[in-house]
Coordinates of all heavy atoms in Angstrom, one line a residue:
L717 N -11.7 -20.0 38.0 CA -11.9 -21.1 39.0 C -10.6 -21.7 39.5 O -10.5 -22.1 40.7 CB -12.8 -22.2 38.4 CG -14.2 -21.7 38.0 CD1 -15.0 -22.9 37.4 CD2 -15.0 -21.2 39.2
W718 N -9.6 -21.8 38.6 CA -8.4 -22.6 39.0 C -7.1 -21.9 39.0 O -6.2 -22.4 39.6 CB -8.4 -23.9 38.1 CG -9.5 -24.8 38.3 CD1 -9.9 -25.5 39.4 CD2 -10.5 -25.0 37.3 NE1 -11.1 -26.2 39.2 CE2 -11.5 -25.9 37.9 CE3 -10.8 -24.6 36.0 CZ2 -12.6 -26.4 37.2 CZ3 -11.9 -25.1 35.3 CH2 -12.8 -25.9 35.9
A719 N -7.0 -20.8 38.3 CA -5.7 -20.1 38.1 C -5.3 -19.5 39.5 O -6.2 -19.0 40.2 CB -5.8 -19.1 37.1
E720 N -4.0 -19.6 39.8 CA -3.6 -19.0 41.1 C -3.7 -17.5 41.1 O -4.0 -16.9 42.1 CB -2.1 -19.5 41.4 CG -2.0 -21.0 41.6 CD -0.6 -21.4 42.0 OE1 0.3 -20.4 42.1 OE2 -0.3 -22.6 42.1
Q721 N -3.4 -16.9 39.9 CA -3.5 -15.5 39.8 C -4.3 -15.2 38.5 O -3.9 -15.6 37.4 CB -2.1 -14.8 39.7 CG -2.1 -13.3 39.7 CD -0.7 -12.7 39.8 OE1 0.2 -13.4 39.8 NE2 -0.7 -11.4 39.7
V722 N -5.4 -14.4 38.7 CA -6.3 -14.2 37.6 C -5.6 -13.2 36.6 O -5.2 -12.1 37.1 CB -7.6 -13.6 38.1 CG1 -8.5 -13.3 36.9 CG2 -8.3 -14.6 39.0
N723 N -5.6 -13.5 35.4 CA -5.1 -12.6 34.3 C -6.3 -12.0 33.6 O -6.9 -12.7 32.8 CB -4.2 -13.4 33.3 CG -3.5 -12.5 32.3 OD1 -4.1 -11.4 31.9 ND2 -2.3 -12.8 31.9
Y724 N -6.6 -10.8 33.9 CA -7.8 -10.2 33.4 C -7.7 -9.9 31.9 O -8.7 -9.7 31.2 CB -8.2 -9.0 34.2 CG -8.7 -9.3 35.5 CD1 -8.0 -9.2 36.7 CD2 -10.0 -9.8 35.6 CE1 -8.5 -9.5 37.9 CE2 -10.5 -10.2 36.9 CZ -9.8 -10.0 38.0 OH -10.3 -10.4 39.2
Y725 N -6.5 -9.8 31.4 CA -6.3 -9.6 29.9 C -6.8 -10.8 29.1 O -7.5 -10.7 28.1 CB -4.8 -9.4 29.6 CG -4.4 -8.0 29.9 CD1 -3.7 -7.7 31.1 CD2 -4.7 -6.9 29.1 CE1 -3.3 -6.4 31.4 CE2 -4.3 -5.6 29.4 CZ -3.6 -5.4 30.5 OH -3.2 -4.1 30.8
I726 N -6.6 -12.0 29.7 CA -7.1 -13.2 29.0 C -8.7 -13.2 29.0 O -9.3 -13.5 28.0 CB -6.6 -14.5 29.7 CG1 -5.1 -14.6 29.5 CG2 -7.3 -15.7 29.2 CD1 -4.5 -15.8 30.2
I727 N -9.2 -12.8 30.2 CA -10.7 -12.8 30.3 C -11.3 -11.7 29.3 O -12.3 -12.0 28.7 CB -11.1 -12.5 31.7 CG1 -10.7 -13.6 32.7 CG2 -12.6 -12.2 31.8 CD1 -11.0 -13.3 34.1
C728 N -10.6 -10.6 29.2 CA -11.1 -9.5 28.4 C -11.1 -9.9 26.9 O -12.1 -9.7 26.2 CB -10.2 -8.3 28.5 SG -10.4 -7.4 30.1
V729 N -10.0 -10.6 26.5 CA -9.9 -11.0 25.1 C -11.0 -12.1 24.8 O -11.6 -12.1 23.8 CB -8.5 -11.5 24.8 CG1 -8.5 -12.2 23.4 CG2 -7.5 -10.4 24.8
A730 N -11.2 -13.0 25.7 CA -12.1 -14.1 25.6 C -13.6 -13.5 25.5 O -14.3 -13.9 24.6 CB -12.1 -15.1 26.7
V731 N -13.9 -12.6 26.4 CA -15.2 -11.9 26.3 C -15.4 -11.2 25.0 O -16.5 -11.2 24.4 CB -15.3 -11.0 27.5 CG1 -16.6 -10.1 27.4 CG2 -15.4 -11.8 28.8
L732 N -14.4 -10.5 24.6 CA -14.5 -9.7 23.3 C -14.7 -10.7 22.1 O -15.7 -10.4 21.4 CB -13.2 -9.0 23.1 CG -13.0 -8.3 21.7 CD1 -14.1 -7.2 21.6 CD2 -11.6 -7.7 21.6
V733 N -14.0 -11.7 22.0 CA -14.1 -12.6 20.9 C -15.5 -13.3 20.9 O -16.2 -13.4 19.9 CB -13.0 -13.6 20.8 CG1 -13.2 -14.7 19.7 CG2 -11.7 -13.0 20.6
L734 N -15.9 -13.8 22.1 CA -17.2 -14.4 22.3 C -18.3 -13.5 21.9 O -19.3 -14.0 21.3 CB -17.3 -14.9 23.7 CG -16.5 -16.2 24.1 CD1 -16.6 -16.4 25.6 CD2 -17.0 -17.4 23.3
S735 N -18.2 -12.2 22.3 CA -19.3 -11.3 22.0 C -19.4 -10.9 20.5 O -20.5 -10.7 20.0 CB -19.1 -10.0 22.8 OG -18.0 -9.3 22.4
M736 N -18.2 -10.9 19.8 CA -18.2 -10.5 18.4 C -18.4 -11.7 17.4 O -18.8 -11.4 16.3 CB -16.9 -9.8 18.1 CG -16.7 -8.5 18.8 SD -15.2 -7.6 18.3 CE -15.6 -7.2 16.6
L737 N -18.0 -12.9 17.9 CA -18.1 -14.0 17.0 C -19.4 -14.2 16.3 O -19.4 -14.4 15.0 CB -17.6 -15.3 17.7 CG -17.3 -16.5 16.9 CD1 -16.1 -16.2 16.0 CD2 -16.9 -17.6 17.8
P738 N -20.5 -14.2 17.0 CA -21.8 -14.4 16.3 C -22.1 -13.4 15.2 O -22.7 -13.7 14.2 CB -22.9 -14.3 17.4 CG -22.1 -14.6 18.7 CD -20.7 -14.0 18.4
F739 N -21.7 -12.1 15.5 CA -21.9 -11.1 14.5 C -21.1 -11.3 13.2 O -21.5 -11.1 12.1 CB -21.7 -9.7 15.1 CG -22.6 -9.4 16.2 CD1 -22.3 -9.7 17.6 CD2 -23.9 -8.9 16.0 CE1 -23.1 -9.4 18.6 CE2 -24.8 -8.7 17.1 CZ -24.4 -8.9 18.4
F740 N -19.8 -11.6 13.4 CA -18.9 -11.8 12.3 C -19.3 -13.1 11.5 O -19.3 -13.1 10.3 CB -17.5 -11.9 12.7 CG -16.9 -10.6 13.0 CD1 -16.5 -10.2 14.3 CD2 -16.6 -9.7 12.0 CE1 -16.0 -9.0 14.5 CE2 -16.0 -8.5 12.2 CZ -15.7 -8.1 13.5
I741 N -19.8 -14.1 12.2 CA -20.2 -15.3 11.5 C -21.5 -15.0 10.6 O -21.6 -15.4 9.5 CB -20.5 -16.4 12.5 CG1 -19.2 -17.0 13.1 CG2 -21.3 -17.6 11.8 CD1 -19.4 -18.0 14.2
S742 N -22.4 -14.3 11.2 CA -23.6 -13.9 10.5 C -23.3 -13.0 9.3 O -23.8 -13.1 8.2 CB -24.6 -13.1 11.5 OG -25.7 -12.6 10.8
F743 N -22.4 -12.0 9.6 CA -22.0 -11.1 8.5 C -21.3 -11.9 7.4 O -21.5 -11.6 6.2 CB -21.0 -10.1 9.1 CG -20.7 -8.9 8.1 CD1 -21.7 -7.9 7.9 CD2 -19.5 -8.8 7.5 CE1 -21.4 -6.9 7.1 CE2 -19.2 -7.8 6.6 CZ -20.2 -6.8 6.4
E744 N -20.5 -12.9 7.7 CA -19.7 -13.7 6.7 C -20.7 -14.5 5.9 O -20.4 -14.8 4.8 CB -18.7 -14.5 7.5 CG -17.8 -15.4 6.6 CD -16.9 -14.6 5.7 OE1 -16.6 -13.4 6.0 OE2 -16.5 -15.1 4.6
A745 N -21.8 -15.0 6.6 CA -22.7 -15.9 5.9 C -23.5 -15.2 4.8 O -24.0 -15.8 3.9 CB -23.6 -16.5 6.9
K746 N -23.6 -13.9 4.9 CA -24.4 -13.1 3.9 C -23.6 -12.9 2.7 O -22.3 -12.8 2.7 CB -24.9 -11.8 4.5 CG -25.8 -12.0 5.7 CD -26.3 -10.6 6.2 CE -27.3 -10.8 7.3 NZ -27.7 -9.5 7.9
R747 N -24.3 -12.6 1.6 CA -23.6 -12.3 0.3 C -23.4 -10.7 0.4 O -24.3 -10.0 0.2 CB -24.5 -12.7 -0.9 CG -23.8 -12.5 -2.2 CD -24.6 -13.0 -3.3 NE -23.9 -12.9 -4.6 CZ -24.4 -13.4 -5.7 NH1 -25.6 -14.0 -5.7 NH2 -23.7 -13.3 -6.8
V748 N -22.1 -10.4 0.5 CA -21.8 -8.9 0.7 C -21.0 -8.5 -0.5 O -20.0 -9.1 -0.9 CB -21.0 -8.7 2.0 CG1 -20.7 -7.2 2.1 CG2 -21.7 -9.3 3.2
T749 N -21.4 -7.4 -1.1 CA -20.7 -6.9 -2.3 C -19.5 -6.0 -1.9 O -19.4 -5.6 -0.7 CB -21.6 -6.0 -3.1 OG1 -22.0 -4.8 -2.4 CG2 -22.9 -6.8 -3.5
A750 N -18.6 -5.8 -2.8 CA -17.4 -5.0 -2.6 C -17.9 -3.5 -2.2 O -17.2 -2.9 -1.4 CB -16.5 -5.0 -3.8
R751 N -18.9 -3.0 -2.9 CA -19.4 -1.7 -2.6 C -19.9 -1.6 -1.2 O -19.7 -0.6 -0.5 CB -20.5 -1.3 -3.6 CG -19.9 -1.0 -5.0 CD -21.1 -0.7 -5.9 NE -20.6 -0.3 -7.2 CZ -21.3 0.0 -8.3 NH1 -22.7 -0.2 -8.2 NH2 -20.8 0.4 -9.4
E752 N -20.6 -2.6 -0.7 CA -21.1 -2.6 0.6 C -20.0 -2.6 1.7 O -20.1 -1.9 2.7 CB -22.1 -3.8 0.8 CG -22.9 -3.7 2.1 CD -23.9 -4.9 2.3 OE1 -24.0 -5.6 1.3 OE2 -24.5 -5.0 3.3
L753 N -19.0 -3.4 1.4 CA -17.8 -3.5 2.3 C -17.1 -2.1 2.3 O -16.6 -1.7 3.4 CB -16.9 -4.6 1.9 CG -17.3 -6.0 2.2 CD1 -16.3 -7.0 1.5 CD2 -17.4 -6.2 3.7
T754 N -17.1 -1.5 1.2 CA -16.4 -0.2 1.1 C -17.2 0.8 1.9 O -16.6 1.6 2.6 CB -16.4 0.3 -0.4 OG1 -15.6 -0.6 -1.2 CG2 -15.7 1.7 -0.5
L755 N -18.5 0.8 1.9 CA -19.3 1.7 2.7 C -19.1 1.5 4.2 O -19.0 2.4 5.0 CB -20.8 1.6 2.3 CG -21.8 2.5 3.1 CD1 -21.4 4.0 2.9 CD2 -23.2 2.2 2.7

């Protein structure tokens, strides 16, 4: 909306983090064993 020149790398990184964040938070909230992480 406001930047004079759009930097699509910033948009790409933001979209990536926003899309992955719920999954990593959910994964982190679970009790995960070392064997499961290894698999």
Side-chain angles (χ1 to χ4, degrees):
L717 299 178
W718 297 295
E720 292 183 5
Q721 185 173 358
V722 177
N723 187 327
Y724 287 103
Y725 283 100
I726 294 176
I727 295 175
C728 289
V729 171
V731 169
L732 172 63
V733 175
L734 285 170
S735 66
M736 293 185 67
L737 195 59
F739 297 95
F740 279 110
I741 290 174
S742 176
F743 190 76
E744 181 68 23
K746 294 181 179 179
R747 188 173 182 177
V748 183
T749 65
R751 287 177 174 177
E752 189 175 354
L753 285 174
T754 301
L755 179 59

